[in-house]
Amino acid sequence: MAKIKKASLVDQIYSTLREDIITMKLPMGARLNVNELQTELGVSCTPIREAVNRLQQEELVIYENNIGARVLTLDAHDVREILELALTLQQAAVRLSMKNGNREEMLREIDEQLERCRTARTHRESVKAVHNLIGVFYRHCGNQRLDRSMIAIQGQVLLLRHIYADCPGYESHAEELARIRDGVAADSEADICAALEAYNRRSALAILAWLRTHG
């Protein structure tokens, strides 16, 4: 039996800070003071700096001279770029998964996540279900490079999904996502891509309105 690998201290700090950023516990623009994080987390500065560097690579953290590290901020242009790239990758994953994937298995996995969307008690649970639902297409696409391309912007996409979950009218998202399932059941790549585009467009409008209110 293979040994279970324990997460390194850097991994644990990275995961904690990343989760706080994408759930907005650490708000956009917040400074990340290493000394304060040392006191809060009870660890030395070295693993904190390494974790922050990893977050910089994901562009969840920005470093500025004479200011230091801070959580990213987003404007309308950023939102459009992130969602546009995410949609492009999602639709590519759809095309490949509909060609290479196991349709019955995909439907089963999508149904599981739709049920989790419907029964989610918190925004965090709902966002995780949406993430896993769309992730079905990456898991079945048979292209690891495409999967890694999505991972590169995953943190920013998750942040936007948490913002969307905080928007009025979000409750109807499960019905919208069901259209994706219908497209898989009908063996219609075009219907799935159209459903993803509609979901992307609606979430973009809601997120941009949120930014105008909270910016």
Side-chain angles (χ1 to χ4, degrees):
M1 181 180 294
K3 292 183 178 180
I4 298 175
K5 294 182 180 179
K6 293 182 179 179
S8 71
L9 185 57
V10 174
D11 289 339
Q12 294 177 58
I13 296 169
Y14 162 79
S15 295
T16 297
L17 292 176
R18 186 178 187 271
E19 183 72 7
D20 286 350
I21 290 171
I22 65 178
T23 60
M24 296 181 289
K25 183 178 179 181
L26 277 171
M28 288 188 286
R31 288 191 62 190
L32 295 179
N33 186 293
V34 173
N35 292 331
E36 291 178 1
L37 289 171
Q38 275 186 264
T39 302
E40 181 181 342
L41 300 174
V43 297
S44 67
C45 66
T46 300
I48 293 175
R49 292 186 189 281
E50 289 184 28
V52 170
N53 285 338
R54 285 174 60 179
L55 291 166
Q56 280 184 253
Q57 293 172 15
E58 279 192 85
E59 297 185 28
L60 288 172
V61 168
I62 308 299
Y63 186 86
E64 295 181 346
N65 291 331
N66 302 319
I67 295 178
R70 61 174 177 81
V71 178
L72 85 165
T73 56
L74 297 171
D75 59 22
H77 179 73
D78 296 322
V79 171
R80 293 190 184 97
E81 280 197 345
I82 294 166
L83 291 179
E84 184 179 71
L85 177 55
L87 178 62
T88 299
L89 295 172
Q90 289 163 11
Q91 292 180 333
V94 165
R95 294 184 181 99
L96 288 172
S97 62
M98 293 299 285
K99 176 183 177 182
N100 302 322
N102 182 313
R103 199 70 44 78
E104 290 184 3
E105 184 69 15
M106 290 169 64
L107 282 170
R108 184 187 64 78
E109 292 176 14
I110 289 172
D111 284 339
E112 287 179 0
Q113 300 310 321
L114 283 173
E115 182 60 25
R116 289 176 181 172
C117 278
R118 296 188 190 100
T119 59
R121 292 172 294 178
T122 66
H123 284 172
R124 184 175 299 188
E125 289 178 0
S126 177
V127 169
K128 184 176 181 180
V130 173
H131 173 71
N132 289 338
L133 188 154
I134 295 176
V136 168
F137 298 107
Y138 291 98
R139 288 192 293 277
H140 287 267
C141 75
N143 189 315
Q144 293 183 355
R145 286 177 172 79
L146 177 60
D147 198 20
R148 288 197 293 269
S149 295
M150 182 58 206
I151 290 172
I153 62 166
Q154 188 177 89
Q156 295 179 10
V157 171
L158 285 169
L159 172 58
L160 293 183
R161 287 184 185 149
H162 274 280
I163 292 175
Y164 183 35
D166 199 37
C167 295
Y170 175 72
E171 292 75 14
S172 66
H173 74 291
E175 296 176 8
E176 296 176 339
L177 292 169
R179 291 176 55 196
I180 297 172
R181 193 265 183 208
D182 293 342
V184 176
D187 193 18
S188 175
E189 174 188 307
D191 286 351
I192 303 168
C193 289
L196 283 168
E197 187 170 0
Y199 183 78
N200 179 289
R201 183 168 55 251
R202 188 174 189 274
S203 62
L205 290 172
I207 293 165
L208 292 173
W210 186 95
L211 285 179
R212 289 192 292 271
T213 303
H214 295 79

